[in-house]
Amino acid sequence: MKKVFKILLYIVAAVAAIIVCFAAFIQFRGIPNYTPTKVDLKIEYTPQRVEEGKRLASMLCKKCHMNQDGTSVSGKHMLDCPAAFGEAFSANITQDKEHGIGKWTDGELAAYIRTGVKPNGNYVPPYMPKFPHLSDEDLACIISWLHSEDPAVKPSSTVSIPCEPSWFCKFLCNVAIKALPYPTAPIAQADTNDLVALGKYCVQSRYQCFACHSADFATNNDLQPELSKGYCAGGNKMPDYTQKIIPTQNITFDDETGIGKWSLEDFSKAVKSGIMPNNQPALRYPMDPYVNLTDKEVEAIYVYLKTIPKIKNKVDRGV
Ligand code: HEC
Ligand code: HEC
């Protein structure tokens, strides 16, 4: 009997030692580096592209990269980063050659925005979304805006503060979350005459509504969004700037727990202005009003959401 205990003790000690070594390995290794994809790209910065890029960036980039006074995309402390992931600081993405992205080529920017890998091989953890399926034209518009005369992107000498990933974040980036592959074929712009296709593109690739509105970032499928757990049925627990949890809502067309009874007008008001039907309290951060969505985009998103499977999932509003 004594011998059995001794053997058991050895096994427990060995397992504990392996766990400690593994934990130390993750802590020491940190976020893994990748070989950045070399993208051969030279974009023509036309005024139309700059204008559209500015519109897209107002909904896709500024929320995180705008400084505290809202004057420049020179970065800030992201107080809404889930505490379990550590501390995040959005970088200075103005044209400054020293402290911003002034020296990045179009190809380096494209590679980073799509895959999350910087020119030096550093990978950005889930602090920043990746845009694997953004159309080549939308990407060209955003990169054109980054090189434009817009005062928000004028060189700023603000020094970017490095993020401080927690052990848990390092763990995830070593075992579960990997850099996304760079697309191997061109990605065409969505057909604006096909509302369902345009809506699908907006929900999955351009605004990535599905990412926040499915069950959890951890069970999302970035490359095949429909396969995300609870696709668009809400429940993802998102912190606001005070770390209070604001769960995302069910935006499938389930009559009872989703938006099945909403008219297009109800939907448009909620998404573009944060105003809810029936005098319910206004929508809170992180659901910033998408002020610059076109009416066509809103209608397309509404029409597309009607076509996806309705899921019964009542989400407590956390009020
Ligand atoms: C949810 C927040 C968030 C959003 C949205 C976001 N970013 Fe970021 N971004 C970050 C954070 C945080 C970093 C710093 C990451 C790091 O250094 O590890 C970063 C880093 C970057 C960098 C690298 C800068 C450098 O010097 O290393 C670029 C380029 C960039 N973002 C561009 C964009 C663009 C363009 C958009 C819009 C299409 C965007 N980001 C949207 C949070 C965000
Ligand atoms: C950064 C995460 C995030 C993104 C991206 C996002 N949402 Fe939301 N959304 C939320 C949160 C959180 C709420 C709940 C806000 C509240 O309860 O005050 C919400 C609420 C809503 C509601 C209200 C539903 C209800 O029943 O209360 C609608 C409609 C909606 N979002 C549509 C969209 C659409 C369409 C997109 C893409 C264009 C989108 N959201 C992108 C986080 C997000």
Side-chain angles (χ1 to χ4, degrees):
M1 205 55 191
K2 246 184 171 174
K3 207 172 173 191
V4 175
F5 273 128
K6 226 175 174 177
I7 292 172
L8 260 178
L9 202 70
Y10 283 140
I11 293 175
V12 170
V15 170
I18 290 171
I19 292 175
V20 168
C21 287
F22 176 70
F25 168 74
I26 297 280
Q27 180 64 12
F28 179 73
R29 184 174 192 227
I31 310 286
N33 272 18
Y34 291 84
T35 309
T37 314
K38 292 255 169 299
V39 183
D40 191 15
L41 187 67
K42 182 78 201 85
I43 294 166
E44 194 190 338
Y45 311 140
T46 63
Q48 289 80 356
R49 280 185 166 157
V50 169
E51 206 44 42
E52 176 64 358
K54 186 176 174 180
R55 185 182 80 88
L56 294 175
S58 75
M59 295 178 278
L60 294 178
C61 321
K62 286 190 173 174
K63 182 173 179 166
C64 291
H65 283 280
M66 261 300 180
N67 60 5
Q68 289 304 347
D69 359 318
T71 50
S72 162
V73 283
S74 55
K76 67 170 174 215
H77 187 184
M78 289 173 50
L79 297 169
D80 55 336
C81 171
F85 282 78
E87 298 263 12
F89 301 86
S90 59
N92 177 348
I93 58 165
T94 68
Q95 292 160 6
D96 193 272
K97 288 203 163 47
E98 202 62 33
H99 305 291
I101 50 147
K103 283 187 187 152
W104 293 39
T105 64
D106 292 346
E108 287 171 341
L109 283 166
Y112 178 74
I113 294 169
R114 287 204 185 288
T115 69
V117 181
K118 296 185 189 185
N120 65 3
N122 285 354
Y123 171 70
V124 59
Y127 305 138
M128 174 169 154
K130 285 73 189 176
F131 296 87
H133 298 308
L134 198 65
S135 70
D136 294 333
E137 181 55 28
D138 282 357
L139 189 60
C141 291
I142 292 171
I143 294 175
S144 300
W145 167 73
L146 285 168
H147 289 100
S148 72
E149 298 290 312
D150 184 345
V153 293
K154 288 283 109 204
S156 152
S157 55
T158 305
V159 179
S160 296
I161 302 172
C163 298
E164 292 164 21
S166 62
W167 183 87
F168 174 65
C169 181
K170 292 176 190 169
F171 169 74
L172 280 183
C173 292
N174 273 281
V175 300
I177 305 171
K178 305 277 172 205
L180 298 176
Y182 197 86
T184 48
I187 306 182
Q189 190 62 297
D191 178 358
T192 50
N193 294 317
D194 178 345
L195 280 187
V196 174
L198 176 63
K200 180 176 179 187
Y201 175 69
C202 287
V203 168
Q204 299 192 340
S205 312
R206 187 183 270 165
Y207 303 114
Q208 303 193 346
C209 319
F210 89 94
C212 287
H213 278 278
S214 300
D216 196 315
F217 287 118
T219 46
N220 277 352
N221 187 325
D222 288 329
L223 295 178
Q224 289 171 282
E226 289 107 328
L227 300 185
S228 302
K229 190 174 160 208
Y231 181 61
C232 291
N236 194 354
K237 297 185 178 61
M238 305 215 37
D240 68 6
Y241 289 127
T242 65
Q243 291 288 320
K244 178 176 152 59
I245 297 297
I246 312 290
T248 63
Q249 289 299 319
N250 185 345
I251 55 169
T252 71
F253 269 72
D254 182 63
D255 273 350
E256 308 306 325
T257 63
I259 58 167
K261 291 185 178 144
W262 289 29
S263 66
L264 171 59
E265 206 194 347
D266 292 336
F267 183 75
S268 176
K269 262 196 193 153
V271 176
K272 289 186 74 170
S273 328
I275 301 169
M276 289 282 281
N278 308 326
N279 302 320
Q280 292 177 69
L283 291 174
R284 297 156 296 175
Y285 186 89
M287 180 65 199
D288 267 349
Y290 284 77
V291 184
N292 292 328
L293 280 186
T294 65
D295 289 338
K296 187 157 204 182
E297 283 177 319
V298 180
E299 188 186 354
I301 295 172
Y302 181 83
V303 169
Y304 165 69
L305 288 175
K306 259 191 177 168
T307 68
I308 67 171
K310 299 173 184 177
I311 300 180
K312 212 167 254 327
N313 182 33
K314 173 134 188 60
V315 181
D316 180 2
R317 285 190 186 273
V319 276

